[in-house]
Amino acid sequence: MNKRSFIKSLAALGIGSSSILSVKAAPFSLGELDFSSADIWDQIRAGYRIKPDYINLENGYYCFLPQETLEKYIEHIREINYQASFYMRGVQFENKAKSAAMLAELVGAFSEEVVLTRNTTESLDLIISGYPWKAGDEAVFANQDYGSMQTMFEMASKRWGIKTVKVDIPIHPENDEEIVDVYRRAISSKTRLIMVPHIVNITGQILPVRKIADMAHERGVEIMLDGAHAVGHFAFNMHDLDCDYYGSSLHKWLSVPLGAGMLYVKKDKISKIQPLLAPFDLNLKTIGYLNHIGTHPAATDLSVINAIEFQNKIGLKRKEDRLRFLQKYWSDQVRNHPGIQVNTPINPERSCGIGNVWVEKITPAEMGKILMEKYKIFTAPIDGSGVRGVRVSPNIYTSTVELDQLVRALKEMAG
């Protein structure tokens, strides 16, 4: 029985595609939030199960789920296990499409331009590996880009004979033009694609990606954005960015279970990319043909909707403002302190929740060790690509009291 016939048979039995989404409400729910209350963020914090052993300031790798989303995720696992092949042969396809459509709405894209993947690496690898490269073509990216993506370009260089050109992103730019010019000077007549981080993962700097896209398109060059840390972190509209390709990880700032990512491809570019893995139907003309991975954990796909609903309850703009406030709260207190270097721009429009700081007399590795062992603060040491320090990434549940402990620790370490 093919998929279409199976779905029709479900309808005949009175089992619609929404059945899996109507599981009972989770016992851990924020309920109605009182945003006029002074303790609103304490209310939200209460919705998380927080490990008391240390202060978690490494939410950039994986923002663990609030209890409300976690319980719904567990319900999805139970329900899919209950329905088994009956669900997997039919219902999963419509529900996955619903999740992708809701995600597309969140980022300001058309539903036919977005497909669920497993993470940013997979999303961008699909573009790099499926791009119609010819020997002698050039690709531009930054030394501050994520290592796995740089490696994928190096693989493309070996496979197709393309040339890779690396640039350095200024940590404290004077203006947008300084950043745009870095990419402009790297483009030649042979450049086909540039990869740009929407937000630099090691410093938290948000780049003027629309201005870079305009510059690239004027020169006939396509642009791919690494938005690993952008979705669910700060508000943006995909069409306003005018990029050609975009990848993100949903297990970071959107707090979807591990194994959820997003790939966006501009509608008129979809047919240009060849799939890495063979699709079920070679005649398929939608973005879905780029990401056929066979049987996979479908409960994660369903949880995308729950994570977006949780975020909507708070409001993305309110969440963005809170994350930016938290980063500025601690970084502004140490930015001009002797012996401390903040590797995140001071301009609030150039950063949000992620910050990077270095106590100059200590290596980043030792710094991270001291923070954890002496002060019980968990961070991510960064030592490379011109950046030395630890990445600090709080989440909306983080309290200012916890950040006060970070500030005290940094100042004591600096002496």
Side-chain angles (χ1 to χ4, degrees), residues 26-28 65-76:
F28 298 93
L65 281 57
Q67 288 297 103
E68 183 174 323
T69 306
L70 176 61
E71 293 301 321
K72 289 179 180 178
Y73 175 46
I74 293 171
E75 287 291 335
H76 294 322

Side-chain angles (χ1 to χ4, degrees), residues 16 22 58 68 70 80 85 102 124 157 188 235 256 273 297 324 332 368 371 376 388 391:
S22 60
E58 171 46 344
E68 183 174 323
L70 176 61
I80 291 173
S85 297
M102 193 166 182
L124 301 186
S157 177
S188 76
V256 177
I273 306 299
R324 182 172 285 110
D332 283 353
L371 281 171
K376 304 303 179 186
R388 306 197 78 198
R391 184 177 72 184

